[in-house]
Amino acid sequence: MSDMSLILTALGSIALLLFLVMKVRLHAVVSLILVSIVAGLFSGMNPADITNTIQQGMGGTLGFVAVVVALGAMFGRVMEETGALDQIAHTLLNKFGNNKAHWAMTFTGFICALPLFFDVAVVLLIGIAFAVVRKGAAA
């Protein structure tokens, strides 16, 4: 397999993925699996190896995401039960005001997300977002 054919396979796979998700409206996970199979076939992989490669790749990714989401959910629940989220929301709304709550969330997201991966930051910040909405609606 030449380098150029692998590059064309990668570009074609991206185009096919976008087509399946945007035009056909096929679910993203199903589209990814189908495009992975097609890309494997066009790159000359043995069909038996394609399924193993997809399984290992998705397993590693899902394993990482599952741990992050689970720990983030637990941490968020602890912060909610202790009142930390409400205190953070109260402080943010006092500093920025109810009419500028979106800037408070932007600032918090920026500061919190700098040292974190996107998915970790989202899991941690979603509790703060709900607390800000609760405090803003109560005010």
Side-chain angles (χ1 to χ4, degrees), residues 55-71 119:
Q55 182 182 13
Q56 289 172 353
M58 288 181 72
T61 302
L62 291 175
F64 172 75
V65 171
V67 169
V68 167
V69 169
L71 290 175
D119 46 358

Side-chain angles (χ1 to χ4, degrees), residues 112-125:
C112 292
L114 281 176
L116 301 172
F117 290 116
F118 173 76
D119 46 358
V120 177
V122 167
V123 169
L124 291 176
L125 292 175

